[in-house]
Amino acid sequence: MDKTRMTKQRKTIINILKDTDTHPTAEWIYDQVKKEIPKISLGTVYRNLNLLAEKDQITVINYANEQSHYDGNTKNHYHFKCKNCKRIYDLDLDLFSKDLNKIANQNTNFKVSDHRLEFYGLCPICK
Amino acid sequence: MDKTRMTKQRKTIINILKDTDTHPTAEWIYDQVKKEIPKISLGTVYRNLNLLAEKDQITVINYANEQSHYDGNTKNHYHFKCKNCKRIYDLDLDLFSKDLNKIANQNTNFKVSDHRLEFYGLCPICK
DNA sequence: CTATTTGCAAACGCTTTGCCTGATT
DNA sequence: AATCAGGCAAAGCGTTTGCAAATAG
């Protein structure tokens, strides 16, 4: 059973997130919640965001707390990250590369020039 | 003209990056360079990595230095980031979603269960 | 009641930066 | 010789955490 409690802090954070499509930062959410709960702390916002992400009720875009990784290979290629050992592998599927941009351009009104595609799962060693 | 100088620190960092496909962190690179240049500082490694990335000689995988962004929409969807205004938009192209995993599975020996795809370019407001 | 959550503030970890010295062109 | 780059250490910044007080169930 789930021992989590629905505090007014948590409820407010969830509502704010469900009501926007601006993909906000913790700081922005914090500012919004403060309008309703002036004494809320930023730590509480982070704790709740992490909890919600763990329960897959929200998604984290660009997890900022990892180290940066660098790639000396500038040829266009994709990456695969093993969920188990965290290793990053190169993937040779540039077949789509141009197609993906084209499809995105044709189906939206953005001027798409680039994309980043990353796969996740288990590598040969871990599976 | 390019006023950058080819120091032995810079040269060593480039060589190390070109010689590996492990997508290392700054710290790992630092440890490698130290074997040749024991007095090199971590700051120098970072300065060079940033410089090389700016000149597109290397790629940064997951820029750790940005803030995290959160998405309350758990429906499978892609994102578009405007290079100019930095706004993040939703994109409705889940058409491929399953296909991309399938293709990756068929063409590699990884067990692919997931992926993240992000497009870049100019949004309607900025273009 | 009592275990979970909060507020607060301090700590953390990665990255950046200021200052001065050293090296490259 | 002039200016770019490096070393060192401190600062920056987003995020996490320890602790005591508050509160949901």
Side-chain angles (χ1 to χ4, degrees):
Chain A
M1 59 304 197
D2 190 351
K3 293 190 188 309
T4 57
R5 295 173 181 180
M6 189 50 67
T7 61
K8 64 179 186 310
Q9 288 85 344
R10 185 162 301 157
K11 191 180 304 179
T12 308
I13 291 169
I14 294 174
N15 285 342
I16 287 171
L17 265 167
K18 294 296 176 194
D19 279 355
T20 186
D21 59 354
T22 59
H23 314 86
T25 62
E27 200 85 33
W28 186 91
I29 297 166
Y30 173 57
D31 287 340
Q32 304 305 306
V33 188
K34 262 200 297 199
K35 294 175 185 169
E36 275 187 52
I37 310 171
K39 280 187 68 72
I40 194 172
S41 79
L42 188 52
T44 298
V45 173
Y46 275 109
R47 270 188 291 237
N48 275 296
L49 288 172
N50 287 340
L51 190 95
L52 293 168
E54 245 169 55
K55 303 206 284 172
D56 285 317
Q57 288 174 27
I58 65 172
T59 307
V60 187
I61 308 176
N62 238 342
Y63 194 70
N65 217 22
E66 296 169 356
Q67 284 183 76
S68 294
H69 289 257
Y70 300 85
D71 193 341
N73 174 3
T74 48
K75 279 205 338 251
N76 191 15
H77 66 284
Y78 297 129
H79 290 126
F80 173 91
K81 277 193 194 169
C82 180
K83 285 180 171 175
N84 187 243
C85 67
K86 312 296 182 199
R87 258 181 286 245
I88 302 174
Y89 296 87
D90 288 326
L91 230 56
D92 244 335
L93 294 171
D94 352 45
L95 335 156
F96 327 106
S97 188
K98 287 172 213 121
D99 299 337
L100 280 180
N101 284 344
K102 192 188 287 181
I103 295 175
N105 267 311
Q106 288 171 343
N107 291 281
T108 67
N109 51 349
F110 298 97
K111 170 97 199 62
V112 176
S113 57
D114 220 343
H115 66 265
R116 165 175 303 197
L117 174 54
E118 221 164 61
F119 292 93
Y120 306 93
L122 292 174
C123 73
I125 301 170
C126 292
K127 80 184 174 188
Chain B
M1 61 300 196
D2 191 351
K3 294 189 189 306
T4 58
R5 295 174 182 177
M6 189 49 67
T7 62
K8 64 179 186 308
Q9 289 85 343
R10 185 162 301 157
K11 192 179 303 177
T12 309
I13 291 169
I14 293 174
N15 286 341
I16 287 172
L17 265 167
K18 295 294 177 196
D19 279 355
T20 185
D21 59 354
T22 59
H23 314 87
T25 62
E27 201 86 34
W28 186 92
I29 297 165
Y30 173 57
D31 287 340
Q32 304 305 306
V33 188
K34 263 199 298 199
K35 294 175 184 169
E36 276 187 52
I37 310 170
K39 280 187 67 70
I40 195 173
S41 80
L42 188 52
T44 298
V45 174
Y46 275 109
R47 268 188 289 238
N48 276 295
L49 289 172
N50 288 340
L51 191 95
L52 293 169
E54 244 168 56
K55 302 206 283 172
D56 285 317
Q57 289 174 26
I58 65 172
T59 307
V60 187
I61 310 176
N62 95 100
Y63 315 85
N65 218 21
E66 296 171 355
Q67 286 183 73
S68 295
H69 289 255
Y70 300 87
D71 193 342
N73 175 3
T74 48
K75 277 206 340 252
N76 192 15
H77 66 284
Y78 297 129
H79 291 126
F80 174 91
K81 277 193 194 169
C82 180
K83 284 179 171 175
N84 186 243
C85 66
K86 312 294 182 201
R87 259 181 286 244
I88 302 175
Y89 295 87
D90 290 325
L91 230 57
D92 245 334
L93 294 172
D94 352 46
L95 334 154
F96 330 106
S97 187
K98 287 173 212 120
D99 299 335
L100 280 180
N101 284 344
K102 192 189 287 181
I103 295 174
N105 266 311
Q106 288 171 344
N107 291 283
T108 68
N109 52 349
F110 298 97
K111 169 97 197 65
V112 177
S113 57
D114 220 342
H115 66 266
R116 164 176 304 195
L117 174 54
E118 221 163 63
F119 292 94
Y120 305 92
L122 292 174
C123 73
I125 301 169
C126 293
K127 79 183 175 188

